[in-house]
Amino acid sequence: MKRRVLLAAAAVGIVAAPLGVLAQAYPTKPISIIVPFAAGGPTDALARILGARMSEALGQPVIIDNVAGAGGTIGVNKAAKAAPDGYTVLFAHMGTLAVNIALYKTLPYDSKKDLEPVGLGGTNPMVLVVKKDLPAKNFAEFMAYVKANQKKAQYGMAGIGAASHLGGLMLNGMMKVDVLEIPYKGTAPALNDLVSGQFDYMVDQAVNVLPQIKSGNIRALGVSTLKRLPQLPDVPTIDEAGLKGYEVTIWNGFFVPKGTPKDIITKLNGALVAALSDEKIRVRLTELAVDLPAAKDATPEAMRDQLKASIDKWVPTIKAAGIQPQ
Ligand code: ASP
């Protein structure tokens, strides 16, 4: 018996020692950040901006791995199943980690059990954007247009459970319209098609659509927050323009596979805090309407609480709206 205990302890020692050493030396090679959407979109843009500064803080290259498809679930699943050694980090959002629990009958991962939070990477308002030559000139005309063109009007989104899906679902649900859904691997390719007039409208993060609105290639008819955005002072909130109570804001956050040593999470969080405290990054992202958390709000614990709060809010909201999982 005694001998067995000793043997077991020795076995634990053999396993534990390399992990401890690994955490101390970390990082000794490039780190991959999985972005579960196409390159060039909002999730990708934020991951690249924050990731570049995190790379400096960590002293190792950070490589962005766009694993797009199925509303971001393929990328999140790859991260959830990766080795918990700190070399695979996930940058995902409220859609892929909370909202889609209500939108899929089954998911290959459990965002609360299979991932460990590192910290919040930013909060993003969304904007209802339409193709340039859509006849509707304001939100009331847009509603009238979509109602008159049911089953013909088309909206773009980045797959089931994406932020743009949630934004569109809530909008269409509150307008009580039945329209065609055009799925993309991210809102970067969707935006290209909206600019060239391939579909009618989309609800996407401001960080992605603001430059095209400013260039006049698409038009903004409403914002998803309860307050107007300083970047678009003439664009009403969707709530004030006619859909009382419409409010969708998307957070992005960093996560690692469950089982990643705590010291590694602390190092990654330190690099994230360095990026969030960088004045150049704050100015640049504030211009693009991204709300960056203060360092004290970027802890793993705060990210865990935010994830739980979003699941608790959106899963019942989507069920109450009568939206069936697929
Ligand atoms: N903004 C997209 C979404 O709808 C994802 C992306 O392309 O980053 O979730």
Side-chain angles (χ1 to χ4, degrees), residues 37-38 41-44 93 158 162-165 186-188 204-205:
F37 293 102
T43 316
D44 181 74
H93 63 35
S164 46
H165 186 215
T187 45
D204 193 27
Q205 284 103 313

